[in-house]
Amino acid sequence: MPQVPPLPIATPVKPTSPQPAPGRNVVSLLPQSERSDGELVHAIAAGEPWAAAMLLDRYGPLVERLIRRVMGHDPELEDLVHDAFATILTSIHQVRDGQAVKGWISSVAVHTAHRAIRRRRLSRWLFFWQHDEELPEPSSVPAHGPREALRRVYAALDELSAEDRIAFTLRFVEEMPLEDVASACGVSLATVKRRLARAEQRFTALAKRDPVLRGWMEEGDRWTTNQ
């Protein structure tokens, strides 16, 4: 009986990583979640819609938090965040260094809040000159809970210049390092230190005259009513 030759044993084929098509950048094969900031900037400039969405997902919380810190609980917060991102998406091509994207986005958020503060102060001045009728008296019912204390903090911050207020909130509310505050404000470290010193002095003087904030200061360890 003729012998049947042994069947050849198939050698398992090891899976290989996908190879880029000729002329295609290897970076384009990376999952979108792994793209660096610099790659996102280039993709946005190339008109890739996913890149803008990813930038929003990555930095949306930062932009909202910074604007909220500066403005407080503001009814226009959503609009201000939208305005900031509109500026970011139309101007991000100006950023040449991918490592600078986060700092640049922070500065856009800060400047958006800055413009809103200045616009509102102008509106208040116009309202003052255009309305001679007697304004309604504020409520005399005291409310000394945390929400009221926060409201009074931002009422005191309303008395500061826009530049000093932004430096103050970024440093003491957001707790950003001095170097990051200076970068977000687009000024030197020496300038931001001068703004902070001026803002602290003004805020402390205002808080001392407010019974709620005075009590809060006496319990803290940074500002005291004996200063």
Side-chain angles (χ1 to χ4, degrees):
M1 185 173 181
Q3 297 292 323
V4 178
L7 296 175
I9 299 175
T11 303
V13 178
K14 295 177 64 177
T16 59
S17 301
Q19 298 298 315
R24 189 179 180 188
N25 195 310
V26 177
V27 171
S28 64
L29 295 176
L30 290 174
Q32 292 179 359
S33 60
E34 297 180 9
R35 304 296 175 87
S36 69
D37 287 347
E39 291 159 4
L40 288 183
V41 171
H42 289 302
I44 291 172
E48 297 284 357
W50 60 264
M54 180 171 294
L55 193 75
L56 176 61
D57 288 342
R58 186 173 294 179
Y59 288 113
L62 172 66
V63 170
E64 179 177 350
R65 188 175 70 247
L66 289 178
I67 295 177
R68 186 187 297 276
R69 290 288 193 260
V70 174
M71 304 299 297
H73 292 285
D74 194 280
E76 295 183 16
L77 176 65
E78 185 176 346
D79 291 337
L80 293 174
V81 172
H82 179 273
D83 290 347
F85 257 96
T87 301
I88 289 167
L89 293 178
T90 56
S91 305
I92 198 168
H93 63 277
Q94 300 173 6
V95 183
R96 304 300 182 188
D97 181 5
Q99 299 295 323
V101 169
K102 182 178 180 180
W104 180 80
I105 287 177
S106 297
S107 69
V108 172
V110 168
H111 287 300
T112 300
H114 188 181
R115 288 194 301 270
I117 293 170
R118 298 189 67 175
R119 183 178 66 248
R120 290 178 186 182
R121 287 187 174 172
L122 176 60
S123 297
R124 283 202 295 268
W125 276 107
L126 292 174
F127 180 87
F128 175 79
W129 288 109
Q130 292 175 1
H131 293 76
D132 295 329
E133 65 269 17
E134 185 177 349
L135 296 178
E137 290 293 330
S139 173
S140 59
V141 179
H144 296 168
R147 186 181 297 274
E148 174 63 13
L150 182 63
R151 187 193 67 78
R152 295 188 186 208
V153 166
Y154 278 95
L157 292 177
D158 278 342
E159 301 298 320
L160 276 59
S161 70
E163 293 82 2
D164 291 355
R165 171 179 176 157
I166 288 170
F168 184 94
T169 53
L170 293 183
R171 177 61 173 158
F172 299 123
V173 182
E174 181 63 14
E175 298 183 337
M176 289 175 63
L178 278 173
E179 293 78 5
D180 291 350
V181 176
S183 175
C185 294
V187 298
S188 67
L189 191 60
T191 297
V192 87
K193 286 181 178 179
R194 287 194 296 271
R195 290 181 181 179
L196 285 170
R198 192 166 55 233
E200 278 195 83
Q201 183 179 19
R202 178 65 172 150
F203 177 81
T204 302
L206 291 167
K208 285 179 181 179
R209 298 200 294 265
D210 185 290
V212 176
L213 295 184
R214 181 182 176 88
W216 170 70
M217 292 171 63
E218 289 173 344
E219 294 178 3
D221 57 3
R222 177 169 185 85
W223 295 291
T224 68
T225 54
N226 295 324
Q227 289 181 336

Short mmCIF file of all heavy atoms in Angstrom, two decimals, residues 1 39 49 53 81 91 96 121 123 135 141 144 155 177 180-181 192 220 225:
data_model
loop_
_atom_site.label_atom_id
_atom_site.label_comp_id
_atom_site.label_asym_id
_atom_site.label_seq_id
_atom_site.Cartn_x
_atom_site.Cartn_y
_atom_site.Cartn_z
N MET A 1 0.86 -1.19 0.00
CA MET A 1 0.00 0.00 0.00
C MET A 1 0.89 1.24 0.00
O MET A 1 1.82 1.35 0.79
CB MET A 1 -0.88 0.01 1.25
CG MET A 1 -1.88 1.13 1.30
SD MET A 1 -3.00 0.93 2.70
CE MET A 1 -3.99 2.35 2.44
N GLU A 39 -0.47 67.81 17.79
CA GLU A 39 -1.13 67.09 16.71
C GLU A 39 -2.57 67.58 16.53
O GLU A 39 -3.07 67.67 15.41
CB GLU A 39 -1.10 65.59 17.00
CG GLU A 39 0.30 65.00 16.91
CD GLU A 39 0.44 63.69 17.65
OE1 GLU A 39 -0.58 63.18 18.18
OE2 GLU A 39 1.56 63.19 17.72
N PRO A 49 -12.80 67.59 11.79
CA PRO A 49 -13.82 67.93 12.79
C PRO A 49 -13.62 67.23 14.13
O PRO A 49 -13.95 67.77 15.18
CB PRO A 49 -15.13 67.50 12.12
CG PRO A 49 -14.74 66.51 11.08
CD PRO A 49 -13.38 66.90 10.61
N ALA A 53 -13.54 68.66 18.37
CA ALA A 53 -14.33 68.02 19.42
C ALA A 53 -13.43 67.50 20.53
O ALA A 53 -13.76 67.61 21.72
CB ALA A 53 -15.16 66.89 18.83
N VAL A 81 -18.17 80.73 28.09
CA VAL A 81 -17.38 79.55 27.71
C VAL A 81 -17.46 79.34 26.20
O VAL A 81 -16.45 79.05 25.54
CB VAL A 81 -17.87 78.30 28.46
CG1 VAL A 81 -17.19 77.04 27.93
CG2 VAL A 81 -17.61 78.44 29.96
N SER A 91 -8.33 80.83 16.42
CA SER A 91 -7.00 81.43 16.57
C SER A 91 -5.91 80.45 16.97
O SER A 91 -4.75 80.84 17.09
CB SER A 91 -7.05 82.56 17.62
OG SER A 91 -8.04 83.52 17.29
N ARG A 96 2.49 77.87 17.99
CA ARG A 96 3.51 77.12 17.26
C ARG A 96 4.07 75.95 18.06
O ARG A 96 4.59 75.00 17.49
CB ARG A 96 4.66 78.05 16.88
CG ARG A 96 4.22 79.27 16.07
CD ARG A 96 3.55 78.88 14.78
NE ARG A 96 3.16 80.03 13.99
CZ ARG A 96 2.42 79.95 12.89
NH1 ARG A 96 1.99 78.78 12.47
NH2 ARG A 96 2.10 81.05 12.22
N ARG A 121 -19.07 96.73 33.62
CA ARG A 121 -18.84 97.98 34.34
C ARG A 121 -19.26 99.18 33.51
O ARG A 121 -19.82 100.14 34.03
CB ARG A 121 -17.37 98.08 34.74
CG ARG A 121 -17.03 97.12 35.86
CD ARG A 121 -15.64 97.29 36.39
NE ARG A 121 -15.46 96.44 37.56
CZ ARG A 121 -14.32 96.23 38.17
NH1 ARG A 121 -13.23 96.82 37.72
NH2 ARG A 121 -14.24 95.45 39.22
N SER A 123 -21.65 99.07 31.31
CA SER A 123 -23.11 99.04 31.33
C SER A 123 -23.66 99.63 32.61
O SER A 123 -24.67 100.34 32.61
CB SER A 123 -23.60 97.60 31.16
OG SER A 123 -23.20 97.07 29.92
N LEU A 135 -33.81 103.74 43.20
CA LEU A 135 -33.66 102.30 43.06
C LEU A 135 -34.27 101.59 44.26
O LEU A 135 -34.31 102.15 45.36
CB LEU A 135 -32.17 101.94 42.96
CG LEU A 135 -31.44 102.48 41.73
CD1 LEU A 135 -29.97 102.10 41.79
CD2 LEU A 135 -32.07 101.96 40.45
N VAL A 141 -33.35 91.20 55.08
CA VAL A 141 -33.30 89.91 55.76
C VAL A 141 -31.88 89.37 55.68
O VAL A 141 -31.34 89.17 54.60
CB VAL A 141 -34.28 88.91 55.09
CG1 VAL A 141 -34.19 87.55 55.79
CG2 VAL A 141 -35.69 89.46 55.13
N HIS A 144 -26.54 84.60 56.26
CA HIS A 144 -25.11 84.50 56.52
C HIS A 144 -24.56 83.11 56.24
O HIS A 144 -23.53 82.73 56.79
CB HIS A 144 -24.82 84.89 57.97
CG HIS A 144 -25.16 86.33 58.27
ND1 HIS A 144 -25.21 86.83 59.55
CD2 HIS A 144 -25.47 87.36 57.45
CE1 HIS A 144 -25.54 88.11 59.50
NE2 HIS A 144 -25.71 88.45 58.24
N ALA A 155 -18.93 90.29 45.46
CA ALA A 155 -19.32 91.70 45.51
C ALA A 155 -18.10 92.56 45.83
O ALA A 155 -17.92 93.65 45.27
CB ALA A 155 -20.42 91.92 46.54
N PRO A 177 -0.12 78.43 40.47
CA PRO A 177 1.21 78.96 40.79
C PRO A 177 1.39 80.35 40.18
O PRO A 177 0.76 80.69 39.17
CB PRO A 177 2.16 77.94 40.13
CG PRO A 177 1.34 76.71 39.97
CD PRO A 177 -0.07 77.16 39.74
N ASP A 180 2.10 80.51 36.48
CA ASP A 180 0.94 80.23 35.62
C ASP A 180 -0.03 81.41 35.59
O ASP A 180 -0.66 81.67 34.56
CB ASP A 180 0.21 78.97 36.11
CG ASP A 180 1.03 77.71 35.91
OD1 ASP A 180 2.07 77.79 35.22
OD2 ASP A 180 0.65 76.65 36.44
N VAL A 181 -0.15 82.10 36.72
CA VAL A 181 -1.01 83.30 36.75
C VAL A 181 -0.46 84.35 35.79
O VAL A 181 -1.19 84.94 35.00
CB VAL A 181 -1.10 83.87 38.18
CG1 VAL A 181 -1.91 85.17 38.17
CG2 VAL A 181 -1.75 82.87 39.12
N VAL A 192 2.51 90.67 37.87
CA VAL A 192 1.43 89.95 38.53
C VAL A 192 1.59 90.02 40.05
O VAL A 192 0.60 90.07 40.79
CB VAL A 192 1.36 88.49 38.04
CG1 VAL A 192 2.28 87.56 38.82
CG2 VAL A 192 -0.07 87.96 38.11
N GLY A 220 -9.78 82.38 59.32
CA GLY A 220 -8.75 81.91 58.42
C GLY A 220 -7.36 82.23 58.93
O GLY A 220 -7.18 82.85 59.98
N THR A 225 -8.01 90.45 60.55
CA THR A 225 -8.53 91.82 60.69
C THR A 225 -7.54 92.71 61.43
O THR A 225 -7.78 93.90 61.58
CB THR A 225 -9.86 91.79 61.45
OG1 THR A 225 -9.67 91.10 62.70
CG2 THR A 225 -10.92 91.08 60.64
#
